[in-house]
Amino acid sequence: MAPYLANPSRYDEMPYRRSGNSGLKLSAVSLGLWHNFGGVDRFENGRDIVRTAFDNGITHFDLANNYGPPPGSAEEAFGQLLRADLAPYRDELIISTKAGYTMWPGPYGDYGSRKYLVASLDQSLKRLGLDYVDIFYHHRPDPDTPLEETMAALAQIVASGRALYVGLSNYPAPLLRRAAPILRELGTPCVLHQPRYSMLDRWIEPALLPALADEGIGCIAFSPLAQGVLTDRYLKGDIPDDSRAARHGFLKPEQITAERLDVVRALNAMALERGQTLAQMALAWVLRHSGMTSVLIGASRPSQVHDAVAATKAAPFEPALLEKIDQLLAPLA
């Protein structure tokens, strides 16, 4: 196979957005490796997806220690891709990983202690074949470890050169408001928060988005397509054999209710009127927030990357359409 040469016009179309008050900019669309990059998946398919993403201006690739399956295998796969294709472009990439979920047995393989976070990142760096990651997240709050210890561990990780920036994920607004000042005082401000957010899951709007704005922290939404519900996959009412719902993962078949499908079909009609796919409108809707730095997509084939990138070219939402969308979504709130 010929050596990979990136598309020379890859930066021409993709918008890049600043992450909060930091100097860091991310591509408006980022690629998450939560699914389809594990040891059970076909490596060459993942390779095609990553190449397509970078060729279209996606510079941010998001991982976690437990992504697979098995856990750790997504980092290993991306490490292979770096060595095979992307090593010459390392300084053009933003590579993130996380720790916070169970990775090994015993009391030191989970949550948010300094012991776990440092050890986990060291393992991640080995799997990736890197000296540092660009962003390291604490993946979820730890109810037992003092918040000060977890934040101090993140600051230590940056001071040690293992990461350039730190982020938080799945933190509710009150806890984020406590964590952010600690990190600033330690000289390692939080630059990014990663919550779940979509048209069908708007929990961040009342409190978290205002908290992020107040603290000068960027936001990158995961599951913006509600695990595929906000695509054309389920419009006919059945569960495709190769869908996430069929695999009984985070999306369960019983979540594909008739009421929800009626709303999704109505959203699809609105998207078609705008000249978009449903997925493109759902991504553009998330990106409409001024404080939304990027939106994380998953992809099982390169065509889905092209579809997502096209969402960045969407026309602004008219206020009347946003109001109509709000009215449609209200019964699901």
Side-chain angles (χ1 to χ4, degrees), residues 34-36 225-235 237-257 260-261 300:
W34 183 13
H35 300 286
N36 304 309
L225 301 181
Q227 294 287 301
V229 177
L230 290 168
T231 70
D232 61 4
R233 306 246 41 207
Y234 305 99
L235 291 177
D238 56 356
I239 307 295
D241 291 339
D242 61 345
S243 67
R244 292 187 183 180
R247 295 197 293 266
H248 295 271
F250 284 87
L251 179 64
K252 306 293 192 295
E254 55 268 25
Q255 294 174 282
I256 315 296
T257 64
R260 179 170 281 199
L261 282 178
S300 59

Side-chain angles (χ1 to χ4, degrees), residues 133-217:
V133 292
D134 298 278
I135 306 169
F136 182 65
Y137 292 89
H138 186 217
H139 206 166
R140 64 169 172 172
D142 182 345
D144 298 318
T145 298
L147 187 64
E148 291 78 7
E149 177 180 338
T150 301
M151 298 306 106
L154 295 177
Q156 175 191 337
I157 281 166
V158 170
S160 70
R162 293 175 172 91
L164 302 184
Y165 300 94
V166 297
L168 302 172
S169 183
N170 298 307
Y171 272 54
L175 191 61
L176 180 125
R177 287 186 182 275
R178 287 178 52 206
I182 298 172
L183 284 169
R184 281 198 299 272
E185 186 175 339
L186 293 168
T188 309
C190 177
V191 302
L192 203 57
H193 185 270
Q194 188 176 132
R196 186 186 65 254
Y197 181 54
S198 74
M199 284 178 154
L200 301 180
D201 191 355
R202 303 177 66 174
W203 73 275
I204 70 173
E205 292 178 354
L208 185 57
L209 284 179
L212 294 174
D214 291 346
E215 299 292 345
I217 299 171

